[in-house]
């Protein structure tokens, strides 16, 4: 019994004396994907001008046909679709964004969840938006999707 206690004490002292190069751990959550869908001719948001209703939005995983969680922010005529589920793990996603069962665009993302220098973060190796013209505002982190 005494040997066990001495052994546990020795291990405890050894572990507490190990130096950790990280003074503090850090974590940066993945950037959300934000989409504003606008009329290509007028530049007006299709939810603001009531062309479409947000309740008819679907985000579908093309790999298995399952529905993907999203948020729709409707505040002061902002009306933006946000997908927050990408990048929390290393993954490749291929989503269809639909309104009224019509595909508006597809989103392909190759995301990598990394841990380096005591920090965890996501890296997007490749992002593709297909079947629609778009513009990306890096400052706002907003994709503007143009539809006819």
């Amino acid at each position: 019994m005494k040997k066990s206690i001495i052994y546990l004490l020795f291990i405890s002292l050894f572990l507490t004396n190990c130096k950790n190069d990280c003074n503090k751990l850090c974590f940066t959550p993945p950037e959300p994907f934000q989409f504003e869908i606008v009329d290509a001719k007028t530049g007006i948001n299709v939810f603001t001008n009531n062309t479409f209703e947000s309740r008819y939005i679907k985000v579908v995983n093309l790999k298995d046909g399952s529905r993907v969680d999203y948020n729709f922010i409707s505040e002061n005529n902002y009306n933006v679709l946000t997908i927050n589920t990408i990048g929390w793990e290393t993954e490749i996603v291929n989503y269809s964004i639909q309104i009224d069962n019509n595909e508006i665009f597809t989103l392909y993302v190759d995301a990598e969840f990394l841990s380096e220098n005591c920090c965890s973060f996501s890296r997007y190796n490749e992002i593709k938006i297909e079947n629609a013209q778009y513009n990306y505002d890096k400052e706002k982190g907003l994709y503007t999707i143009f539809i006819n």
Side-chain angles (χ1 to χ4, degrees):
M1 179 80 168
K2 276 187 175 181
K3 286 183 181 181
S4 295
I5 293 173
I6 292 172
Y7 181 69
L8 286 173
L9 183 60
F10 176 73
I11 290 177
S12 297
L13 287 173
F14 176 75
L15 290 175
T16 57
N17 286 331
C18 288
K19 293 200 179 199
N20 185 349
D21 291 337
C22 302
N23 290 330
K24 92 173 117 161
L25 298 176
C26 62
F27 170 72
T28 303
E31 291 288 322
F33 284 83
Q34 299 183 82
F35 304 98
E36 179 180 28
I37 303 171
V38 301
D39 182 290
K41 293 175 186 158
T42 65
I44 297 174
N45 186 299
V46 297
F47 300 101
T48 302
N49 70 9
N50 296 317
T51 301
F52 295 108
E53 293 181 41
S54 61
R55 66 184 171 147
Y56 295 115
I57 297 172
K58 283 195 295 190
V59 180
V60 178
N61 185 335
L62 292 173
K63 180 179 177 182
D64 61 11
S66 64
R67 296 269 178 111
V68 177
D69 290 333
Y70 68 89
N71 294 312
F72 187 79
I73 301 168
S74 180
E75 197 170 299
N76 298 326
N77 291 325
Y78 188 57
N79 297 318
V80 172
L81 168 73
T82 303
I83 302 173
N84 297 310
T85 56
I86 302 170
W88 291 94
E89 61 186 359
T90 297
E91 62 184 337
I92 292 178
V93 299
N94 201 3
Y95 295 160
S96 171
I97 290 67
Q98 305 172 4
I99 303 175
D100 283 340
N101 293 318
N102 294 313
E103 185 173 87
I104 303 300
F105 65 97
T106 60
L107 173 66
Y108 171 91
V109 180
D110 177 356
E112 194 173 5
F113 190 76
L114 302 166
S115 236
E116 294 176 0
N117 301 322
C118 306
C119 291
S120 297
F121 60 96
S122 295
R123 176 181 300 145
Y124 298 126
N125 297 318
E126 185 176 11
I127 300 170
K128 289 193 289 188
I129 294 174
E130 297 180 326
N131 303 326
Q133 296 295 316
Y134 70 94
N135 184 43
Y136 178 65
D137 184 332
K138 189 173 185 176
E139 197 170 291
K140 293 180 181 178
L142 179 68
Y143 292 88
T144 302
I145 308 296
F146 300 100
I147 63 171
N148 294 318

